[in-house]
Amino acid sequence: MLYDIFSSLITATAQKIVAAALVISSLLGFGAAPLPTHDSSPSRSETAAIISTTTASVSDIEQEASAMPESETPHDTIDTLEADTAASDSDGAMQTTSAGAIGTTPPQPPAPASAPTISIPELNTTVRNAVVNIFCISKSGGVFAPISGSGVFIDPRGVIITNAHIAQYLLLRDYDTKDFIECTVRQGSPAMPLYKAELLYVPPAWVRENAQNIIVDKPMGTGENDFAFLVVTEPAGSAGVLPQTFPFIEPAPLEERPVAGLGVLIAGYPAGFLGGLDIARSLWLVSSTAAVQQILTFKDAPPYTPDEFSVGGTVIAQQGVSGGAVVNIADGKLLGIFVTSILEGTTDKRDLRALSLFHINEALKRYTGENVATFLRGNLYDTSEHFNTIVAPELTKILSTELDK
């Protein structure tokens, strides 16, 4: 669970934060069953823990990004997207929760500015080429609305990292009938179907703990263990042949952790203000700059670990951004993937949160004995074959049991 351990927040402040009933949701598109989120209880087991925080402005980062060339898409800037969505109410299908605060450690200073090893325009192009949309539809209708989320290529062989609450739908491919659910990997603006993918890994612990939420409109939870890996296996439809290598973003190394004030480039496929046909036909990739605001932990006792971090209010704090990229501007490495967001108010008032690569590494090692780097060095065919023949059937049964209730 997430706990708030920011020492400058006294008990009265914590009570005010709890009373505010901030809404956090998974960022899965289309109102499909997203990830569980915390409830409004102020108990430590259900609240968000802030290890460190900063109030630093992102204006310096945004000024640097202002030199970024105009995208080929009309939705690549905050101003344009806000104008397009100004008439919309909210993305009501996103999950809800509240966050509490319990102070124990002093805030860290903002991260020192470091010279980027790559220009922001260059990094923007690299990130946009590596971010994907994962689009799942039920061929036979039934209990599922279409599902839209994001993901990131992290290996030139076509490995995608995304959220477990997106990847779980690949476990249900043959739930009711053969090919009951079809998931396609899309890219571009608008997103076009390019690839089919298979599961490499979903944490069984996440499925066991969250299976009941697959039939809940607004499930609640923290984001703990909410990651998954897919691998592209074939072209989608008439998309042609697979590339020899895929554009990708290298995951941050084990020693690299999110730091409050760090400049990041974020990207995903927000769909919170779009209808079903628009998402199917006119879904645009959006990228922007931001800064790490808070560092959060799932632990309730020391040593605290940087498991999740927020980037504050941003235009892409919408459904559909789950699994989207958070990239360190200084070195171009993937620092985390989006998992939850506070929903109240306009997008600039929300708090978009990402699961850190640190947490993903730690969790993957705990469950498999491998971190992300060693996991990716393995034989992808063997890894996929083992997971889908040995592990996946049990997870599919767990989810199917919930759907059959």
Side-chain angles (χ1 to χ4, degrees):
M1 297 296 176
L2 282 171
Y3 310 105
D4 191 340
I5 54 174
F6 181 29
S7 69
S8 66
L9 299 175
I10 59 175
T11 302
T13 304
Q15 292 171 345
K16 289 179 182 178
I17 293 178
V18 172
L22 298 177
V23 179
I24 293 184
S25 164
S26 79
L27 299 168
L28 186 64
F30 275 35
L35 120 128
T37 53
H38 359 300
D39 63 23
S40 58
S41 167
S43 68
R44 289 179 62 101
S45 63
E46 296 295 338
T47 55
I50 304 172
I51 296 176
S52 62
T53 186
T54 181
T55 57
S57 165
V58 298
S59 60
D60 292 341
I61 301 169
E62 290 175 344
Q63 286 169 10
E64 187 175 1
S66 66
M68 190 181 299
E70 246 182 68
S71 165
E72 70 280 3
T73 75
H75 288 170
D76 191 38
T77 66
I78 290 178
D79 289 342
T80 303
L81 187 58
E82 290 284 19
D84 290 344
T85 60
S88 302
D89 297 326
S90 66
D91 21 1
M94 296 170 72
Q95 295 173 283
T96 61
T97 187
S98 65
I102 303 170
T104 57
T105 61
Q108 298 175 6
S114 55
T117 58
I118 182 174
S119 71
I120 291 183
E122 267 187 288
L123 182 60
N124 185 53
T125 298
T126 298
V127 171
R128 291 175 66 84
N129 287 339
V131 172
V132 304
N133 169 242
I134 300 168
F135 184 65
C136 301
I137 58 172
S138 168
K139 289 184 175 180
S140 305
V143 295
F144 296 118
I147 296 147
S148 182
S150 300
V152 189
F153 279 121
I154 58 169
D155 185 274
R157 295 171 295 172
V159 177
I160 296 168
I161 189 170
T162 186
N163 293 132
H165 70 265
I166 299 171
Q168 66 179 333
Y169 293 96
L170 279 79
L171 290 166
L172 294 168
R173 180 175 59 188
D174 300 324
Y175 161 65
D176 193 31
T177 59
K178 184 173 175 55
D179 296 327
F180 175 72
I181 291 180
E182 180 183 57
C183 294
T184 305
V185 177
R186 307 195 300 174
Q187 282 193 294
S189 293
M192 301 296 291
L194 295 181
Y195 314 116
K196 296 297 181 74
E198 294 282 349
L199 286 167
L200 277 179
Y201 184 77
V202 177
W206 185 91
V207 176
R208 295 187 188 106
E209 293 168 7
N210 295 277
Q212 73 278 5
N213 290 321
I214 198 165
I215 56 174
V216 177
D217 286 338
K218 297 178 182 180
M220 303 181 71
T222 63
E224 186 171 8
N225 297 323
D226 194 355
F227 66 93
F229 299 96
L230 317 178
V231 62
V232 169
T233 55
E234 59 182 302
S238 58
V241 299
L242 295 180
Q244 290 189 341
T245 60
F246 291 82
F248 71 101
I249 303 171
E250 184 179 345
L254 290 172
E255 64 274 12
E256 186 171 329
R257 305 182 181 191
V259 179
L262 183 69
V264 291
L265 195 146
I266 60 179
Y269 281 90
F273 298 108
L274 302 177
L277 284 177
D278 285 333
I279 296 177
R281 300 175 182 176
S282 305
L283 184 64
W284 300 82
L285 174 63
V286 177
S287 56
S288 181
T289 53
V292 174
Q293 302 292 313
Q294 295 176 331
I295 312 299
L296 303 104
T297 186
F298 293 129
K299 292 192 174 183
D300 57 356
Y304 299 113
T305 52
D307 299 308
E308 199 168 277
F309 60 95
S310 72
V311 296
T314 168
V315 69
I316 71 173
Q318 303 177 37
Q319 274 185 287
V321 179
S322 278
V326 185
V327 178
N328 187 345
I329 287 177
D331 63 10
K333 301 292 197 305
L334 184 69
L335 203 61
I337 56 171
F338 289 124
V339 65
T340 61
S341 176
I342 292 177
L343 288 181
E344 288 189 344
T346 56
T347 54
D348 63 320
K349 302 300 182 184
R350 299 175 182 178
D351 185 25
L352 188 58
R353 294 183 178 181
L355 197 63
S356 71
L357 256 292
F358 176 89
H359 172 74
I360 294 169
N361 270 301
E362 291 290 302
L364 187 64
K365 188 173 183 179
R366 184 166 62 250
Y367 297 132
T368 70
E370 298 181 300
N371 58 39
V372 173
T374 54
F375 180 81
L376 292 176
R377 283 199 291 268
N379 184 301
L380 298 182
Y381 175 83
D382 289 347
T383 301
S384 178
E385 182 74 10
H386 177 269
F387 181 84
N388 287 292
T389 58
I390 305 299
V391 182
E394 178 197 348
L395 304 183
T396 297
K397 184 177 180 180
I398 292 171
L399 293 172
S400 298
T401 298
E402 292 296 329
L403 290 170
D404 292 339
K405 286 181 178 180

